[in-house]
Amino acid sequence: MSEMKALIPFLNNHFSGCTFERKTPYRKKPGPKPGKPETRSSLGRTGKSLAEQIKYELVIALKSGFSDLILVMDDLDCNDAKTREKLFLDAIDSIPGTADVVKQVGFAAPEIESWLIADWDNTFANDIDFRGRHANMRWWLSTKSVPFDNPEFFSKLDTERNTCEEKLSELIIEASQRDEGKERFSKGTHTPRMLMNVNPDIVCEKCPHFRGFYLQLMAFCNQNPNV
């Protein structure tokens, strides 16, 4: 997830009763060399690939001590949430000693950019690179059936590729390129920057997957402060 560098600060900022630390992937590594397999800790894993990564990296991470909560975050990419959640929980449960640890799975559906779409006024409309043209971008995205009031329901699953038929982030990139010579939207630059301006209360109103994860995590952190 390109937004990873902002996700931990986002969590620590909004869930003050908890302190979050990323365990996997623990650092960004260069891409695999030709002829060599991809490293287990490399970025960009999702679904079954991420589940296998969890099994490998969690064993290493927990050698330094068990946390009060194990949180898994992933893009849903139009997959079934219950099936994907079970995949991750089963991966964690396969690690010895995790039976009594609280576990939670949260999804950005279909991608984390849906949170930015939901809180448009605090993200695109407020960003230095897009505030002067955000209205035109929003209009164009609306012609592509982007549902601003429930952005998690954008697109549907392409069963052959096991991902969304259309990528929300790719449409945002395309929308940003309609004005020649202007800044192009970047998942690596703009998503993390905008994420820090997101108002979770607004996103909760429009994104059921986010709301479920947010309220559950908020309840845990309030009941178990300073974990």
Side-chain angles (χ1 to χ4, degrees):
M1 297 171 72
S2 60
E3 64 282 355
M4 184 177 299
K5 60 186 178 183
L7 187 56
I8 296 301
F10 174 84
L11 294 173
N12 284 325
N13 185 42
H14 293 290
F15 302 94
S16 57
C18 293
T19 300
F20 298 88
E21 181 181 354
R22 190 173 78 237
K23 293 296 185 180
T24 178
Y26 56 88
R27 67 185 179 90
K28 189 171 182 178
K29 293 188 174 184
K33 296 180 180 179
K36 292 189 176 183
E38 185 180 15
T39 60
R40 282 192 173 92
S41 58
S42 58
L43 299 178
R45 299 294 189 95
T46 187
K48 292 181 180 180
S49 181
L50 177 57
E52 290 301 317
Q53 187 181 53
I54 289 170
K55 292 178 183 179
Y56 179 83
E57 297 291 349
L58 195 55
V59 172
I60 299 173
L62 294 179
K63 287 181 179 179
S64 60
F66 282 80
S67 301
D68 297 280
L69 169 74
I70 296 175
L71 174 66
V72 179
M73 294 292 300
D74 192 23
D75 286 344
L76 193 54
D77 289 325
C78 296
N79 281 270
D80 179 70
K82 290 184 178 179
T83 302
R84 186 62 65 85
E85 180 182 35
K86 185 178 185 301
L87 175 69
F88 294 140
L89 293 178
D90 287 348
I92 297 172
D93 288 339
S94 71
I95 307 301
T98 61
D100 296 327
V101 180
V102 177
K103 311 165 188 72
Q104 184 178 346
V105 178
F107 293 113
E111 304 174 72
I112 205 168
E113 282 74 26
S114 66
W115 304 357
L116 310 183
I117 292 287
D119 192 14
W120 186 274
D121 286 344
N122 285 318
T123 56
F124 291 94
N126 190 46
D127 189 87
I128 189 172
D129 289 330
F130 304 107
R131 63 180 58 152
R133 55 195 172 110
H134 77 93
N136 287 334
M137 289 177 59
R138 184 182 175 105
W139 172 83
W140 187 85
L141 289 169
S142 70
T143 68
K144 302 301 179 180
S145 300
V146 173
F148 286 86
D149 288 335
N150 52 355
E152 288 184 336
F153 294 94
F154 175 74
S155 194
K156 59 182 179 179
L157 182 67
D158 181 333
T159 55
E160 291 187 3
R161 297 187 299 124
N162 199 37
T163 189
C164 296
E165 290 182 350
E166 293 183 281
K167 298 285 284 184
L168 184 59
S169 56
E170 291 177 0
L171 278 183
I172 295 173
I173 291 172
E174 190 172 349
S176 72
Q177 292 178 304
R178 289 175 55 78
D179 290 317
E180 193 171 326
K182 297 292 186 178
E183 186 78 13
R184 175 181 185 269
F185 177 80
S186 166
K187 284 179 66 72
T189 300
H190 294 108
T191 297
R193 188 165 79 199
M194 292 184 191
L195 185 60
M196 299 310 297
N197 292 325
V198 161
N199 182 335
D201 292 334
I202 294 176
V203 181
C204 279
E205 294 176 359
K206 302 176 182 179
C207 299
H209 285 291
F210 177 87
R211 181 168 63 247
F213 139 73
Y214 180 82
L215 294 179
Q216 183 179 348
L217 188 56
M218 184 64 72
F220 175 84
C221 292
N222 288 342
Q223 292 173 4
N224 303 272
N226 301 318
V227 297

